[in-house]
Amino acid sequence: MKVPFLNVQAQYNENKIAMLAAAERVLSSGCYVLGKEVEKFEKNFTEVSGTEYAIGVNSGTSALHLALLALGIGPGDEVITVSHTFIATVSSIQYTGATPVLVDIHPDYYTIDVRKIEEKITPRTKAIIPVHLYGMAAEMDAIMSIANKYGIPVIEDAAQAHGTLYNGKKVGSIGTLGCYSFYPGKNLGACGEAGMVVTDDSSLAAKVRKLRDWGAEKKYYHDLVGYNYRMDAIQGAFLDVKLRSLSKWDSRRKEIAEMYNSQLDKNMVVIPKLNPQSTHAYHVYNVRISNRDLLQKKLTEKGIATGIHYPIPAHLQKCYHFLGYKVGDLPVTERVCGEILSLPICPYLNDNQINYTIESINEIVNKNEFNNLHAQESITV
Ligand SMILES: *Cc1c(COP(=O)(O)O)cnc(C)c1O
């Protein structure tokens, strides 16, 4: 049996008629950048983000870059975030000329360790970017109380967390600004690149709107040095169609996660620990195990595709050597990166494929050189 990691074509096949109609509408309109298709999607997406404003851009990375610029962040400033994230979170900080300050993660939740934020705050700290990694919210209550105490704005990286609620609030609406990605493999994915900045602050929204479109509110009148970060009309139109399936897809992700949670051999693998204040969008479902590479290899042999999100943390990437971090600086992050394995959780997988994945894992971890003490032990570095 083959178990693919992703199946984005299935999303198209299910929505074919509406997506082809959307393409026809855009192509025959001659309006290919921003315009009413993007405006309609922006408006509808505020139901996911729970914010007054949503500004469509050309990627999640651009969304983060513009959120930072809208807050006036630049050279000499510091921005606190995690190393255990997709590289875009860290790079967007660096694009502004500010310095990324990387904090270790919570040993169970894998999101920013709120006990380690305050010691990194300096007079130069101009923002905190918590990442709602894998689709589960970071500990926003603690983050917001630290941020409010020091008067520091918060940018939520919600690129993996469409639809996640924290204490009943939609992620992206809790901090000063929120950023979403619609990269094709995300829970809500375009047929190309796209992203969104969300906020309740009207002046920040106006600034992001200007910055995405060459710093001009009126064409050719450039108030700010801006960017070409506009969302394509066709992506807005496709996303608006796919938005209608998001909650159905998320329910299926949750069903698959529950199958994994209940049936995986928990004496051998560590399953995700849920923060009781957050729901989980299960963009990624991963387990932790001592001999991760061997498990991955054996699963590949059985036709089961897996992933590692992410194998090398940002602070140990070649491109960030200049930040001066070394092995051992973020011990929980480093250990987690070496032990996590992401299992297939695409909503189009059927129960047979998930059961086959579960049976294969349980068989492999009980037959090979895996350390069964590992799953009981928690990370205490
Ligand atoms: C995908 C992702 C981004 C970047 O989004 P793109 O649309 O790929 O530019 C940023 N942060 C996180 C956590 C992501 O997963």
Side-chain angles (χ1 to χ4, degrees), residues 59-61 64 85-86 88-89 131 157 159-160 181 183 186 194 310:
S59 72
T61 308
L64 286 162
T85 180
F86 180 60
T89 316
V131 180
D157 184 340
Q160 304 187 356
S181 164
Y183 176 75
K186 297 286 159 78
Y310 298 89

